[in-house]
Amino acid sequence: MAPHFVFPQSLKELEEEHEDNRLYAQNHIDIASLRSSELEEFVKGVSFDLSDKELFCIEDQDIFDRVYSLIRGYASLPSSCKFNLVESLRSNLSVLLPNVDALTRNQDDDSVLHRVALHRNAFKIYTFFLINVILAEESNAGSSNNPKVTATTRKKQPMKSWNWEPQRGRILNLIANSLEINLALLFGSTDPDENYLSFIAKNTFSMFENAILLKDSDTKDALCRIIGSCATKYHYMEQSCASIMHLIHKYDFVVTPMADAVAGAKKKYADGSLASTLIREVGRTNPKDYVKDTVGAENIGRFLVELAARLPKLISTNIGVLVPHFGGESYKIRNALVGVLGKLVAKAFTDVEGEVSSKSVRLRTKQAMLEILLERCRDVSAYTRSRVLQVWAELCEEHSVSIGLWNEVAEVAAGRLEDKSAIVRKSALNLLIIMLQHNPFGPQLRIASFEATLEQYKKKVNELEPDVPEESVVDDPPSDNDTCNENGEVHNTDAQVLAEDQQESLTDSCLTQMEEGIVQKDNSVPDVGNLEQTRALVASLEAGLRFSKCISATMSTLVQLMASSSASDVENTILLLMRCKQFQIDGSEACLRKMLPLVFSQDKSIYEAVENAFVTIYIRKNPIETAKNLLSLAIDSNIGDLAALEFIVAALVSKGDISTSMISALWDFFSFSVSGTTAEQSRGALSVLCMAAKSSTVVLGSHLQDIIDIGFGRWAKVEPLLARTACFALQRLSEDDKKKLLSVNGSRVFGLLEKLITGFWLPENIWYAAADKAIAAIYTIHPTPETLAADLVKKSLSSVFDCSGGDELQNDIDSSSASVLTTVQVVKLSRYLFIASHVAMNQLLYIESCARKIQKQKFAKEKADIDRHNLQSNGTAPADTVKDNNINAELGLAASEDAILDMLFDKAEKEIISGSSSEKNLIGDCAPFLSKLCRNFGLMQKYPELQASGMLALCQFMIIDAKFCDANLQLLFTVVENAPSESVRSNCTIALGDLAVRFPNLLEPWTENMYARLRDPSVSVRKNAVLVLSHLILNDMMKVKGYINVLAIRLEDEDERISNLAKLFFHELSKKGSNPIYNLLPDILGKLSIQNLKRESFCNIMQFLIGSIKKDKQMETLVEKLCNRFSGVTDITQWEYISYCLSQLAFTEKGIKKLMESFKTYEHALSEDSSKKFAKPEMKLCIDEFEDKLNKFHVEKKEQEVTARNAQIHQQRVGSMEGLSVAGNNGEDSAESDTAEGYCNWLMLWFNVNFFFSFFMIPKVP
């Protein structure tokens, strides 16, 4: 009998001789010393012997030595030799395996025992050599992993080259197959040789450390089968589990293959002991270990989730050992456990077989898992809260959430919309989107429809109920807790099944009728069956109504999220609102319109989200529907929304999303070609066409006549705003269309515009807006607009002063009397001031446009001269041309031309109001009169509309002329401070912003007065003041002075919009430079602390401002600055405020040291007891040092105070019996009061110091 083979620790160990007569390599041949021809002959001889002789020839000493020599020198073998050797070994083993199954064991038959020994030896030797081939090949591949070398060697390889990857897969699959045969026939017991299993398992786990091997599916599957067989079939469990846990902790790429291996073992051998052991191993691990090993925690978590997806029922029976980890500090493990529960709820309870008792147990288990998932929505970690919401979304997609639980999940998701973490809000929004998409209540979720249908079915239930037995009504009604029914399925309750069965008929009949308003008084609703089925449907309708109300209640929150600084909030909110509109949720339409201003966002993703939503909702394939949607938007939108709508419509026209057929449909609505079109729809259509003209100027040119006939015709009297829109359309005409208009209908158009401005056929509230656009249209299309504008001013002036009482009117205004002024004259005077001021303003704009045209022509001419000169310089340039250019350059004629042009423009601007000539100035004569009129406060109070028009005109005149502005600034600030009209103060506040831009030096002394508008009692005035100051500061038109604290107070304004605007301002301000808020914060703190602010408001303001400071260095410097403020402050409230600000800082190690170094600045008052907090390990030493210092000084200070108090009391007691006794009592009270004051001074500081200590605490799960 041949010597038995024992697996050595290493390949080289086979050369050593042992006393137990084991097989070893006696005659080792050095392969490297052989020539290539000799090597090939040597390999061929070995291959021939292996294939020609018996399978057991490998046990012959000669062949064994030669094979060993080849395996030892495997790396130096050429590809052909490797192929021959590997194929010979593999084929022999593959033939050997079937022979093993054919063996019969008979203990008395020596020949059979001998044959079994031969098979066992050969089996072990082939396995050993093949695994060493794999190890050698992979080692060689890993050492020569150079892309350039690999590419070169591939080019030099012959056509029949060595392809290792398929060979590796076949070898490993062969070894896996060898483990699946009945090895008890070879080894004499159910478990093979421990040495054999150890060798196989050790090398298999080492191959798992190579990510490249796991990318090959054949190799990966074979390795998984080997692990499953070793651990499960041959009970190599303890060692396998230890190796698996080690690999999972160390390598992330082994997670999925290991889960496949464990699941494969359970499926093949119907034995889940390997999975159960691994789960128990995870459960036994100390949760604190996962805090330190974050990579291992993440890998273990992924492994558990993968395992739950593959073996849900097995994991559900072992989930109890994992639940305690919910109390651990590693959020990654909690995330994984949440994912595991989601997989189990979806997959572990789907069977309907089994006894009633087992069903009940599974039902309770599932209910407990669902409760844990709901509880985890309030986890301390934002990552876990986000993961829970994602799991709920997956469960909703898989229809694993019952109707009874549906609304609880929806309410939790709605609450998480206000979470402080952006990732949680994103997950909550996605969850609500999926819940709407997969809701079990129908495609239309209007509250009114549900209420009407529910009312009718409740009547139906009352009719079907028997008269006598009331207990049945109490015993059987379906409720939200129907999850515990006899079927044992949480998501398969009777109510849900019935609701789903009746959903189609309910939607098609009842809901449709309710939507059309056909609420029938009789019981003509679809019959759904007996009483129990009707009750189930009522319960389903009640759940649907609750769900609809829950989603509808989130609309106000969604509007706030659209103003979020997080792009993901905005994008997902828009997606949710789109889904809400699809299901007709109440309030979704109005909320969607509020997304329009987001088109101005600088974030490209937000703009694209808004654009995509706009196209999806409003742009249809049918041009008529698209036109109707767009004109409805234009009709119902405010000024801000109209600007946004114009921007997005222009963009869509340029992209082609709004096609020519849609433009034609808009023209059909405007010209009343569509039946049923109203004048308001016509106006809306023209508004949209004007928006489209911004991108495509030819849009309006084809219907000029319709614009004139309809816009200024009889329909303008029906819809007065139509005339204003027509004027705006004239401004949007292209240059060619303007010329065409002037040549064909010029006189008529200007006559209509003049009639609109000077006539009284428009309502008073519409006339001002229409006249504004009409004057602007004249200056846009008229070749000499100043002539027509002068006529308009004259006619308006004559209507006021040429009537009876004109002289008396002027005298009354001069003498502050109003006896002659009538209502008609007030209207005419207001209109005159409006026309004069708007003509003056448009004249200024016209002069500036003329200046730009001249400058543009000048630059074009200069460029043409340069180009011509460059062209001529290639040849021979005329000598006189060169000479003229040189002379002009030396004399500075070009610069003098620019100076002359600037002087002319300045003169033209000044002549609008002041005028430097002795001739009468039409607008200039109005200015002194206007100034006197606005100073007549008695007259202004009697006629508020006159004051509004007069102050608006005064502000426009001041914007035009610097001298007039300087002369009337005092008047303007007096009116903006004391005017009783809210609109007048608002208009003047806005005008102050324009004046600050145009004449910053004149407005600079009045900065404090401008900030004072932030304290105005009117919400409108404060809002405009915030907007104006924000614009000026953020655009560097006004310096951030010492009044910024007034703007900071608006963070806590009672009006939410003003508060949001202030927050937006400081958010944008923090982005400028090195964050100006950092420098302003101490000053803001000092001024806010001495104002009469509520403590809560102060804390909210400072928390927001400090939160905008992100740099650690700035935080560290603030620690020092805030501590230094203690030394100069004696007020208790200010101490508390400073300590609160310190508590809001994000302390680094350097910040803590700064706090310790500044101890002397606040040591004089530390005296209050406190509780200790513990910091994170990396800062614990620093915190402990600071705590020790505080405690030491605190004890000393307290002892001093107690000693002083006792001495004072004793001194008072040794006095006289009566007088001194009374005085002593009073003194004692006084001393106690002083001491209490000392305590109070630092009580808040100490608590807040400990408050920021708590920022460094490791979070605990509640």
Side-chain angles (χ1 to χ4, degrees):
M1 181 181 291
H4 66 282
F5 179 80
V6 179
F7 284 90
Q9 295 296 324
S10 63
L11 180 64
K12 194 174 181 181
E13 193 177 325
L14 273 181
E15 299 177 13
E16 299 176 3
E17 183 179 2
H18 295 268
E19 296 179 356
D20 56 356
N21 192 30
R22 67 176 64 175
L23 186 62
Y24 70 99
Q26 298 179 7
N27 299 311
H28 170 245
I29 301 171
D30 186 9
I31 299 299
S33 63
L34 299 178
R35 294 193 296 270
S36 59
S37 59
E38 295 175 343
L39 182 59
E40 289 182 7
E41 288 298 325
F42 184 81
V43 174
K44 286 180 181 179
V46 172
S47 299
F48 178 79
D49 290 339
L50 289 173
S51 60
D52 186 57
K53 296 181 180 181
E54 281 190 324
L55 296 173
F56 317 117
C57 67
I58 191 71
E59 301 177 40
D60 294 343
Q61 188 66 51
D62 178 56
I63 298 178
F64 182 82
D65 290 344
R66 285 188 288 159
V67 173
Y68 169 77
S69 300
L70 291 174
I71 299 298
R72 177 75 186 278
Y74 183 83
S76 61
L77 293 179
S79 299
S80 59
C81 295
K82 289 181 179 179
F83 179 78
N84 292 333
L85 175 63
V86 171
E87 274 298 303
S88 300
L89 294 172
R90 188 188 64 79
S91 61
N92 279 15
L93 180 59
S94 64
V95 174
L96 179 66
L97 295 184
N99 293 342
V100 173
D101 288 330
L103 289 175
T104 57
R105 178 169 296 280
N106 188 346
Q107 300 294 337
D108 298 330
D109 192 346
D110 294 336
S111 63
V112 173
L113 293 175
H114 175 68
R115 192 165 184 81
V116 168
L118 290 175
H119 277 78
R120 181 170 57 247
N121 248 13
F123 175 80
K124 294 162 102 177
I125 294 170
Y126 283 127
T127 303
F128 177 77
F129 283 148
L130 285 173
I131 287 183
N132 274 281
V133 166
I134 296 174
L135 296 176
E137 189 68 40
E138 294 304 324
S139 176
N140 184 46
S143 61
S144 60
N145 191 14
N146 190 332
K148 295 182 179 179
V149 175
T150 303
T152 306
T153 54
R154 282 179 181 173
K155 291 181 180 179
K156 294 181 179 180
Q157 285 178 352
M159 293 297 292
K160 189 178 179 181
S161 60
W162 167 253
N163 192 356
W164 164 242
E165 289 188 2
Q167 289 287 349
R168 179 185 59 205
R170 285 195 287 268
I171 294 172
L172 288 172
N173 273 293
L174 181 61
I175 294 173
N177 293 337
S178 70
L179 289 168
E180 293 173 359
I181 65 174
N182 189 6
L183 291 183
L185 299 175
L186 287 180
F187 293 95
S189 65
T190 55
D191 293 340
D193 184 7
E194 180 76 17
N195 203 318
Y196 165 73
L197 283 179
S198 175
F199 176 78
I200 295 291
K202 182 183 74 171
N203 289 288
T204 301
F205 283 119
S206 68
M207 292 181 200
F208 259 97
E209 298 180 4
N210 190 342
I212 299 177
L213 265 65
L214 298 180
K215 292 180 181 179
D216 180 34
S217 59
D218 290 339
T219 302
K220 183 199 74 173
D221 294 341
L223 292 173
C224 292
R225 289 168 56 199
I226 293 172
I227 287 179
S229 298
C230 291
T232 305
K233 183 179 179 181
Y234 300 113
H235 309 104
Y236 197 71
M237 185 68 66
E238 185 177 348
Q239 300 89 333
S240 297
C241 287
S243 298
I244 290 173
M245 293 297 292
H246 170 74
L247 287 174
I248 292 175
H249 273 275
K250 193 172 182 181
Y251 304 105
D252 59 346
F253 55 82
V254 304
V255 171
T256 303
M258 279 300 177
D260 291 336
V262 176
K266 167 65 171 65
K267 182 178 180 181
K268 186 170 186 63
Y269 302 105
D271 184 358
S273 57
L274 176 58
S276 300
T277 305
L278 289 171
I279 294 172
R280 286 195 294 271
E281 186 67 28
V282 174
R284 283 196 296 265
T285 305
N286 190 337
K288 293 182 179 180
D289 294 343
Y290 291 123
V291 178
K292 303 173 184 176
D293 183 14
T294 56
V295 176
E298 184 172 0
N299 293 344
I300 287 292
R302 286 177 50 217
F303 177 73
L304 291 175
V305 175
E306 295 284 349
L307 212 56
R310 291 163 174 78
L311 303 172
K313 293 182 181 179
L314 176 67
I315 303 300
S316 66
T317 59
N318 293 275
I319 190 64
V321 301
L322 298 176
V323 170
H325 281 276
F326 274 118
E329 297 172 354
S330 173
Y331 73 87
K332 293 185 177 180
I333 291 295
R334 299 202 301 275
N335 286 4
L337 294 181
V338 165
V340 168
L341 293 182
K343 298 293 183 185
L344 299 185
V345 169
K347 298 181 178 182
F349 307 95
T350 55
D351 62 324
V352 294
E353 300 177 358
E355 298 179 356
V356 175
S357 59
S358 64
K359 289 183 188 177
S360 177
V361 171
R362 293 202 306 272
L363 181 61
R364 287 196 297 270
T365 303
K366 182 175 181 179
Q367 192 64 31
M369 292 179 184
L370 292 170
E371 290 175 359
I372 291 175
L373 286 177
L374 283 174
E375 179 188 353
R376 285 299 106 192
C377 291
R378 296 182 291 274
D379 194 278
V380 68
S381 170
Y383 296 106
T384 304
R385 297 197 298 273
S386 174
R387 180 64 186 134
V388 176
L389 296 174
Q390 292 170 15
V391 168
W392 279 116
E394 294 168 3
L395 293 176
C396 291
E397 282 185 306
E398 297 173 3
H399 304 285
S400 299
V401 180
S402 66
I403 291 181
L405 197 61
W406 193 270
N407 284 303
E408 289 188 46
V409 177
E411 289 167 359
V412 168
R416 289 299 99 193
L417 293 178
E418 300 182 24
D419 197 282
K420 63 181 181 180
S421 173
I423 59 173
V424 180
R425 297 194 298 269
K426 179 180 179 180
S427 298
L429 290 167
N430 288 332
L431 173 56
L432 290 175
I433 291 172
I434 290 174
M435 293 190 76
L436 280 171
Q437 185 175 351
H438 296 275
N439 83 86
F441 309 113
Q444 298 173 351
L445 299 176
R446 284 202 296 265
I447 293 177
S449 299
F450 270 107
E451 290 176 341
T453 308
L454 181 61
E455 183 65 28
Q456 293 194 24
Y457 275 101
K458 281 184 176 179
K459 292 179 181 178
K460 190 83 170 177
V461 170
N462 293 332
E463 292 175 0
L464 293 175
E465 282 179 347
D467 296 333
V468 180
E470 297 180 355
E471 287 126 355
S472 61
V473 179
V474 180
D475 293 336
D476 273 341
S479 65
D480 286 346
N481 295 323
D482 276 342
T483 55
C484 297
N485 58 45
E486 61 181 6
N487 291 331
E489 291 298 315
V490 177
H491 62 282
N492 195 22
T493 61
D494 290 339
Q496 183 178 358
V497 172
L498 182 59
E500 291 173 353
D501 291 341
Q502 302 298 331
Q503 190 65 57
E504 184 176 356
S505 61
L506 178 65
T507 303
D508 294 341
S509 59
C510 299
L511 290 183
T512 304
Q513 292 177 7
M514 296 309 108
E515 289 159 14
E516 295 174 356
I518 308 174
V519 181
Q520 302 176 1
K521 295 183 180 179
D522 57 1
N523 289 332
S524 58
V525 291
D527 191 0
V528 296
N530 58 27
L531 177 60
E532 297 304 323
Q533 292 173 327
T534 307
R535 284 176 176 172
L537 182 57
V538 168
S540 178
L541 287 171
E542 288 176 342
L545 177 60
R546 181 181 169 189
F547 178 67
S548 180
K549 288 181 177 179
C550 176
I551 301 298
S552 180
T554 63
M555 293 299 122
S556 58
T557 305
L558 295 180
V559 172
Q560 295 177 358
L561 285 177
M562 282 196 290
S564 171
S565 58
S566 172
S568 64
D569 283 348
V570 180
E571 295 172 25
N572 289 285
T573 300
I574 292 172
L575 292 176
L576 176 57
L577 287 173
M578 290 172 61
R579 191 69 68 186
C580 289
K581 186 178 186 300
Q582 177 186 343
F583 285 89
Q584 301 181 10
I585 297 294
D586 294 6
S588 58
E589 181 78 25
C591 287
L592 268 174
R593 294 193 176 186
K594 295 182 179 180
M595 78 173 179
L596 289 178
L598 294 175
V599 297
F600 299 116
S601 174
Q602 296 180 353
D603 193 319
K604 185 179 179 181
S605 60
I606 293 178
Y607 168 76
E608 290 176 349
V610 175
E611 186 180 87
N612 293 335
F614 187 90
V615 172
T616 303
I617 297 170
Y618 299 110
I619 306 300
R620 306 291 185 198
K621 292 182 179 179
N622 188 339
I624 297 296
E625 291 183 11
T626 300
K628 197 168 185 178
N629 289 337
L630 294 177
L631 65 89
S632 298
L633 272 177
I635 291 170
D636 299 333
S637 297
N638 54 31
I639 295 177
D641 291 343
L642 282 174
L645 182 62
E646 178 179 1
F647 183 87
I648 196 168
V649 166
L652 293 178
V653 170
S654 63
K655 288 183 177 180
D657 291 332
I658 297 181
S659 60
T660 54
S661 59
M662 298 174 186
I663 298 294
S664 300
L666 287 168
W667 281 119
D668 291 339
F669 274 102
F670 172 68
S671 58
F672 298 92
S673 299
V674 179
S675 60
T677 303
T678 63
E680 188 179 40
Q681 288 179 322
S682 175
R683 187 253 301 176
L686 184 57
S687 296
V688 178
L689 289 167
C690 293
M691 297 172 187
K694 186 176 182 180
S695 177
S696 177
T697 55
V698 298
V699 169
L700 299 173
S702 58
H703 291 74
L704 285 176
Q705 194 62 44
D706 291 338
I707 294 174
I708 298 171
D709 295 339
I710 299 174
F712 300 102
R714 63 185 182 87
W715 289 108
K717 296 180 180 179
V718 179
E719 173 60 33
L721 286 174
L722 186 58
R724 175 185 177 276
T725 309
C727 294
F728 185 65
L730 294 178
Q731 297 179 56
R732 285 288 169 89
L733 294 176
S734 63
E735 293 299 327
D736 294 337
D737 291 334
K738 290 177 184 177
K739 294 177 182 178
K740 179 181 176 182
L741 179 66
L742 291 175
S743 61
V744 179
N745 290 315
S747 57
R748 182 189 174 199
V749 170
F750 295 128
L752 291 171
L753 292 174
E754 183 177 350
K755 182 180 177 182
L756 185 151
I757 296 170
T758 59
F760 287 85
W761 57 277
L762 283 176
E764 190 70 16
N765 59 332
I766 303 296
W767 178 87
Y768 288 97
D772 178 22
K773 294 298 179 184
I775 294 172
I778 290 173
Y779 272 90
T780 302
I781 62 177
H782 201 286
T784 55
E786 65 275 6
T787 56
L788 181 57
D791 293 338
L792 292 175
V793 175
K794 290 177 182 178
K795 288 183 180 181
S796 179
L797 181 64
S798 63
S799 68
V800 178
F801 291 102
D802 288 352
C803 57
S804 59
D807 295 336
E808 290 84 350
L809 175 63
Q810 179 67 46
N811 293 332
D812 287 345
I813 292 173
D814 293 342
S815 60
S816 301
S817 174
S819 58
V820 181
L821 197 61
T822 63
T823 303
V824 175
Q825 287 177 322
V826 167
V827 173
K828 291 182 178 180
L829 181 58
S830 298
R831 289 196 174 193
Y832 162 68
L833 296 176
F834 183 87
I835 293 171
S837 60
H838 276 71
V839 165
M841 182 61 67
N842 280 275
Q843 183 67 23
L844 175 65
L845 298 175
Y846 177 69
I847 292 171
E848 292 178 350
S849 66
C850 291
R852 286 193 297 271
K853 287 180 181 179
I854 294 174
Q855 292 287 358
K856 188 176 180 179
Q857 292 174 358
K858 181 174 177 292
F859 291 148
K861 181 181 177 183
E862 291 176 354
K863 185 178 179 181
D865 292 340
I866 293 173
D867 293 341
R868 187 171 60 254
H869 174 70
N870 293 336
L871 183 63
Q872 291 175 351
S873 63
N874 295 330
T876 304
D880 53 349
T881 304
V882 176
K883 186 176 180 181
D884 291 342
N885 291 337
N886 292 336
I887 294 174
N888 290 338
E890 291 179 2
L891 295 177
L893 294 180
S896 62
E897 289 179 4
D898 292 338
I900 293 172
L901 287 174
D902 293 340
M903 183 184 66
L904 291 175
F905 296 147
D906 291 340
K907 183 179 180 182
E909 288 181 4
K910 291 178 180 178
E911 286 181 350
I912 298 175
I913 302 296
S914 301
S916 57
S917 62
S918 58
E919 299 178 1
K920 281 195 171 184
N921 187 316
L922 184 63
I923 303 297
D925 286 348
C926 177
F929 163 75
L930 176 62
S931 181
K932 291 181 181 180
L933 177 66
C934 292
R935 293 176 191 276
N936 191 338
F937 299 117
L939 186 65
M940 295 295 100
Q941 290 182 1
K942 186 175 183 181
Y943 299 103
E945 64 275 13
L946 181 60
Q947 184 182 32
S949 182
M951 288 307 301
L952 182 62
L954 181 73
C955 291
Q956 289 185 326
F957 281 0
M958 292 173 68
I959 291 173
I960 295 171
D961 190 86
K963 290 183 179 180
F964 188 79
C965 175
D966 191 23
N968 292 277
L969 269 179
Q970 180 70 52
L971 170 62
L972 177 59
F973 278 102
T974 301
V975 172
V976 79
E977 182 73 30
N978 301 317
S981 173
E982 178 181 315
S983 61
V984 170
R985 300 201 307 275
S986 292
N987 291 339
C988 292
T989 301
I990 296 172
L992 286 173
D994 295 332
L995 289 171
V997 174
R998 185 158 172 81
F999 307 119
N1001 294 333
L1002 292 179
L1003 269 292
E1004 197 272 337
W1006 300 89
T1007 302
E1008 183 178 1
N1009 301 79
M1010 294 181 67
Y1011 276 98
R1013 295 303 88 233
L1014 294 168
R1015 302 190 187 95
D1016 197 282
S1018 168
V1019 172
S1020 174
V1021 177
R1022 293 201 307 274
K1023 183 196 74 174
N1024 288 330
V1026 171
L1027 288 171
V1028 167
L1029 291 171
S1030 299
H1031 173 75
L1032 294 175
I1033 293 172
L1034 293 177
N1035 289 280
D1036 300 321
M1037 299 174 186
M1038 176 184 286
K1039 294 182 180 179
V1040 185
K1041 291 203 170 184
Y1043 311 107
I1044 194 68
N1045 60 291
V1046 185
L1047 192 51
I1049 294 176
R1050 292 306 106 206
L1051 290 168
E1052 284 291 297
D1053 196 281
E1054 59 187 13
D1055 186 80
E1056 185 177 4
R1057 186 177 179 187
I1058 296 177
S1059 175
N1060 291 335
L1061 287 172
K1063 290 177 181 177
L1064 180 62
F1065 163 73
F1066 282 105
H1067 176 72
E1068 295 297 325
L1069 183 63
S1070 66
K1071 297 179 182 178
K1072 293 177 66 68
S1074 59
N1075 193 352
I1077 296 178
Y1078 158 72
N1079 295 317
L1080 294 169
L1081 193 66
D1083 184 54
I1084 293 175
L1085 167 63
K1087 292 190 176 180
L1088 291 184
S1089 60
I1090 60 176
Q1091 294 189 11
N1092 189 20
L1093 269 180
K1094 293 182 180 178
R1095 175 175 177 79
E1096 182 182 1
S1097 298
F1098 173 87
C1099 293
N1100 292 338
I1101 292 171
M1102 297 309 298
Q1103 182 180 15
F1104 180 85
L1105 294 177
I1106 293 173
S1108 63
I1109 300 174
K1110 306 297 182 184
K1111 294 181 179 179
D1112 291 343
K1113 189 173 181 180
Q1114 291 181 343
M1115 285 287 187
E1116 294 159 9
T1117 310
L1118 273 178
V1119 172
E1120 187 175 6
K1121 288 184 177 181
L1122 292 176
C1123 289
N1124 289 335
R1125 296 187 72 87
F1126 280 110
S1127 57
V1129 175
T1130 57
D1131 184 63
I1132 301 174
T1133 304
Q1134 294 190 41
W1135 282 346
E1136 294 176 354
Y1137 285 166
I1138 296 171
S1139 64
Y1140 176 79
C1141 293
L1142 278 171
S1143 71
Q1144 297 303 305
L1145 298 179
F1147 279 86
T1148 61
E1149 186 174 354
K1150 289 184 179 179
I1152 294 293
K1153 289 182 178 179
K1154 290 269 188 183
L1155 192 64
M1156 296 171 62
E1157 292 170 359
S1158 304
F1159 188 78
K1160 291 291 183 182
T1161 60
Y1162 52 82
E1163 67 176 1
H1164 54 279
L1166 284 173
S1167 60
E1168 185 58 36
D1169 294 328
S1170 63
S1171 58
K1172 295 183 179 180
K1173 304 283 184 180
F1174 294 98
K1176 288 184 179 179
E1178 58 267 20
M1179 296 188 63
K1180 194 173 186 304
L1181 293 176
C1182 193
I1183 297 292
D1184 288 344
E1185 183 182 351
F1186 184 46
E1187 264 194 311
D1188 292 341
K1189 190 172 184 179
L1190 285 177
N1191 289 334
K1192 181 180 178 181
F1193 192 86
H1194 156 69
V1195 172
E1196 292 177 356
K1197 187 67 177 178
K1198 193 169 184 178
E1199 289 177 353
Q1200 291 175 6
E1201 289 186 352
V1202 171
T1203 303
R1205 184 175 55 194
N1206 291 338
Q1208 187 176 5
I1209 294 173
H1210 177 72
Q1211 184 179 3
Q1212 292 168 352
R1213 285 179 177 177
V1214 298
S1216 61
M1217 293 293 296
E1218 295 180 358
L1220 289 180
S1221 175
V1222 174
N1225 291 334
N1226 292 337
E1228 180 179 352
D1229 294 340
S1230 176
E1232 291 179 353
S1233 175
D1234 292 341
T1235 306
E1237 181 180 356
Y1239 285 151
C1240 292
N1241 288 350
W1242 284 98
L1243 178 61
M1244 184 57 65
L1245 171 63
W1246 180 244
F1247 282 152
N1248 282 320
V1249 166
N1250 281 276
F1251 180 71
F1252 72 70
F1253 284 164
S1254 67
F1255 279 116
F1256 306 109
M1257 292 180 65
I1258 300 174
K1260 299 288 184 183
V1261 179

